[in-house]
Amino acid sequence: MSEHRPGWLQRRPAPTAAPDANARATRLIAQADQARDAGDWASAARLYAEGLKIEPGQPAIRVQLGHALKESGQLSEAEAAYRQAADEMPDDADARLQLGHAQKLLGQTEAAIRSFRRALEIDPDLASARDE
């Protein structure tokens, strides 16, 4: 039996770019991860965005972009990143949860409630969505 992991923990290959471009995207995303881990949210957001320009088919990385944007105070942009990730991963509860958090911070209460409810429909055991 395979373990269910939230979308942000999964990397999905998107072999649409040339090998050199794939390597560049991988380096950018690794640098973004380092910036994120160091709390340099603005740099992380910039690097994730650059990586996604090369390999746009990475919804789990788009969630990370949303985190970095949210933490750097760019709430509208974070909401857009989370929304796109949730659209690309319709059965991922964490993407819906993160979208709901951004909507809540933006004062979009009804939209946030819908996102939290959708997260719970996907994963009824997702305590953080239930707590919202």
Side-chain angles (χ1 to χ4, degrees), residues 70-71 75 98-109 112:
K70 180 179 69 174
E71 292 298 326
L75 296 178
Q98 299 307 325
L99 175 59
H101 286 310
Q103 291 166 327
K104 180 180 172 183
L105 290 170
L106 286 166
Q108 300 171 358
T109 306

Side-chain angles (χ1 to χ4, degrees), residues 21-87:
N22 283 336
R24 176 162 162 65
T26 299
R27 281 193 308 275
L28 287 166
I29 290 167
Q31 291 170 349
D33 289 344
Q34 289 175 342
R36 176 204 60 210
D37 293 347
D40 184 357
W41 299 108
S43 293
R46 180 182 50 77
L47 291 161
Y48 283 130
E50 286 181 37
L52 286 166
K53 284 180 188 172
I54 298 168
E55 288 192 18
Q58 297 270 353
I61 299 304
R62 199 164 306 283
V63 170
Q64 291 301 312
L65 171 61
H67 294 333
L69 290 165
K70 180 179 69 174
E71 292 298 326
S72 64
Q74 300 176 66
L75 296 178
S76 294
E77 294 85 351
E79 191 267 349
Y82 289 137
R83 178 176 303 287
Q84 186 173 349
D87 289 347

